[in-house]
Amino acid sequence: MTVVLDPVTRPHPLDDARTQLRQAVDLLGYDDGIYAMLAAPRREVTVSIPLRRDDGTTELLTGHRVQHNLSRGPAKGGLRYSPDATLDEVRALAMWMTWKCALLDVPYGGAKGGVRIDPRRYSIAELERVTRRYTTEISPMIGPERDIPAPDIGTDEQTMAWMMDTFSVQHGHTVLGVTTGKPVSLGGSLGRATATSRGVVHVALAALRSRGIDPARATAAVQGFGKVGRYAARFLAEAGVRVVAVGDQYGAVADERGLDVPALEAHVDATGSVVGFTDAIGGDELLEAEVDLLVPAAVEGVLTAGNAPRVRAKVIVEGANGPTTPEADAILRAADTLVVPDILANAGGVIVSYFEWVQANQAYWWSAAEVEARLADRMLAAWDRVSDHAGRLGRPLRTAATALAVERVAQAHVQRGLYP
Ligand code: NAD
């Protein structure tokens, strides 16, 4: 069974991102000019990607790359392959990348890319052709000092290797720093593949403790079992948290005694889905499960005004980008649910992408232990900074985090000045 999103309740991530920006701008006392400058992307391109299918027919695909902000350094952000990818979604995701990079103080602006394609319906050879043509179309915009793509939904380290190779061939020499999330054998960083999930779990354990919940006695539900959700479930279980429900786009499974996560991973490797591992539950049941911790790690707009009143988790840690709408945020706040926002919770990926870029540019690679230690330091320092700021302001973590990030970006604009 494939979960089909209701067109009426479909997420509107760009509206959500702009609402969050508005709240931060108002809190900081900035004027409408600053809001307008930060609400609009700096640059965006839409490209046509003609694909020769394996059967000899031709199909035309559409792709986007949006650079939201470049004031603090080159743009940085993932590339998504999804049948739902739209320009507005990519714009929202690019804006969130700007705040994430600023909040974690990595020297980048924000970007995102998307190609409207369901990668499961194409062969590896077709996906390689799509990736190489998309890379060629956007190549004037990207590069280690311009814009550095990384994996996101539907893309992986192989996609990043093809992008790096295409860009390098066009430039006549190997440019390892043009993408991150590459295979370790090809200039990738140790620890990058699991970095987002490690970061999610560092913050999740800190958030549980902040609510007086001992992780060793806590329960969790995880939505999404891809690059983020899978390792989040694994690391939560390793930390002693009982993972009682997980789901993916095909369905969800639960076991209140705690799922055997390594066995579940083996099941997913063998079948492509969590479905069939144990008792099935509905996707909504997963989001509304009575657990201490909920980790949405799939797509945006899953926690809405419609289901937020029924959410019983005490702590929500956003592995996905934009899973909670502003209306749901307000409902969850009234219910005293702690929501750790995406721009903090899932920043582990961009932190280790930054480490990968630094290593590639210096051609000197760090040990796994060094990467893990530096990642943990940065995540926990950011958690402390955001939770202190939220406490001082008497505002939710998202408002505090967005305000800290927006202030940093606005400061860079002011210091650089307007040209001409
Ligand atoms: P992925 O493609 O590897 O996995 C996505 C997972 O979500 C799959 O298990 C899929 O079956 C499931 N899914 C998709 N639609 C669903 C639906 N409607 N209901 C339930 N499950 C659904 O993608 P990923 O890289 O794990 O990314 C997941 C989220 O995390 C995205 O929001 C992405 O932007 C965000 N994110 C990813 C990274 C990263 O490093 N990969 C970093 C930061 C944030």
Side-chain angles (χ1 to χ4, degrees):
M1 180 198 60
T2 301
V3 179
V4 179
L5 295 175
D6 176 348
V8 179
T9 56
R10 266 188 96 77
H12 298 283
L14 185 58
D15 293 345
D16 295 352
R18 287 183 175 154
T19 302
Q20 292 158 2
L21 171 62
R22 183 86 251 176
Q23 287 164 355
V25 164
D26 289 348
L27 182 68
L28 290 162
Y30 293 160
D31 61 29
D32 282 350
I34 299 277
Y35 170 80
M37 202 160 69
L38 297 176
R42 171 76 179 261
R43 260 178 219 150
E44 52 189 34
V45 61
T46 294
V47 297
S48 292
I49 307 162
L51 167 67
R52 192 178 62 256
R53 301 287 313 249
D54 291 341
D55 65 7
T57 59
T58 303
E59 192 174 311
L60 191 68
L61 302 167
T62 303
H64 308 286
R65 185 77 188 169
V66 174
Q67 295 174 348
H68 171 257
N69 194 282
L70 304 170
S71 58
R72 300 182 64 258
K76 184 91 190 79
L79 169 62
R80 175 172 292 195
Y81 284 179
S82 157
D84 301 318
T86 62
L87 182 54
D88 273 355
E89 179 189 61
V90 177
R91 286 171 172 154
L93 291 161
M95 190 190 300
W96 284 322
M97 281 307 297
T98 300
W99 311 144
K100 197 180 299 181
C101 293
L103 181 66
L104 273 293
D105 205 11
V106 293
Y108 296 133
K112 203 79 181 191
V115 176
R116 204 169 312 136
I117 181 174
D118 182 352
R120 294 163 307 168
R121 294 184 41 245
Y122 293 81
S123 71
I124 300 286
E126 289 171 333
L127 291 173
E128 177 173 355
R129 291 200 285 279
V130 169
T131 303
R132 289 188 184 279
R133 183 62 186 251
Y134 171 76
T135 306
T136 303
E137 293 294 341
I138 66 162
S139 81
M141 285 177 90
I142 61 172
E145 289 155 350
R146 293 165 182 250
D147 181 353
I148 307 129
D152 192 74
I153 291 178
T155 59
D156 58 14
E157 60 177 33
Q158 178 61 74
T159 323
M160 295 304 115
W162 289 328
M163 289 190 89
M164 186 278 284
D165 180 70
T166 306
F167 187 87
S168 297
V169 169
Q170 289 167 354
H171 285 76
H173 60 102
T174 297
V175 188
L176 292 179
V178 65
T179 58
T180 59
K182 299 181 296 296
V184 171
S185 55
L186 207 56
S189 176
L190 293 169
R192 172 61 184 90
T194 53
T196 307
S197 318
R198 284 243 182 251
V200 164
V201 173
H202 284 313
V203 167
L205 300 180
L208 286 169
R209 290 191 186 104
S210 79
R211 284 286 163 117
I213 301 167
D214 175 3
R217 294 172 190 279
T219 54
V222 180
Q223 185 199 41
F225 208 73
K227 293 184 292 299
V228 180
R230 173 187 184 131
Y231 298 114
R234 184 195 289 183
F235 299 145
L236 283 170
E238 286 175 3
V241 175
R242 195 147 48 91
V243 179
V244 295
V246 299
D248 60 22
Q249 69 204 102
Y250 307 105
V253 293
D255 184 344
E256 65 183 31
R257 293 165 302 173
L259 294 157
D260 177 346
V261 177
L264 174 61
E265 289 192 51
H267 174 83
V268 171
D269 287 340
T271 67
S273 168
V274 302
V275 172
F277 181 68
T278 178
D279 294 343
I281 58 167
D284 286 345
E285 266 181 90
L286 178 130
L287 295 172
E288 296 162 18
E290 187 162 6
V291 285
D292 297 301
L293 171 68
L294 172 64
V295 180
V299 288
E300 55 265 25
V302 295
L303 295 172
T304 63
N307 60 10
R310 294 191 298 277
V311 168
R312 288 178 290 172
K314 299 182 183 78
V315 175
I316 297 174
V317 176
E318 295 183 337
N321 287 308
T324 313
T325 66
E327 298 76 28
D329 250 342
I331 293 165
L332 293 166
R333 176 156 169 74
D336 199 30
T337 308
L338 183 67
V339 179
V340 185
D342 45 10
I343 60 170
L344 169 61
N346 68 36
V350 79
I351 290 173
V352 178
S353 273
Y354 166 49
F355 295 164
E356 179 176 335
W357 177 79
V358 168
Q359 294 169 79
N361 291 343
Q362 296 181 337
Y364 183 82
W365 273 266
W366 309 348
S367 69
E370 199 171 350
V371 171
E372 302 285 347
R374 288 180 191 232
L375 168 64
D377 280 356
R378 280 192 176 242
M379 287 302 297
L380 293 172
W383 160 260
D384 286 344
R385 201 163 55 245
V386 172
S387 45
D388 284 356
H389 196 55
R392 268 198 307 276
L393 293 173
R395 299 288 185 116
L397 293 173
R398 187 183 321 277
T399 313
T402 311
L404 282 169
V406 168
E407 189 174 25
R408 211 167 251 170
V409 176
Q411 218 165 43
H413 275 276
V414 170
Q415 285 165 342
R416 289 178 66 148
L418 272 188
Y419 172 80

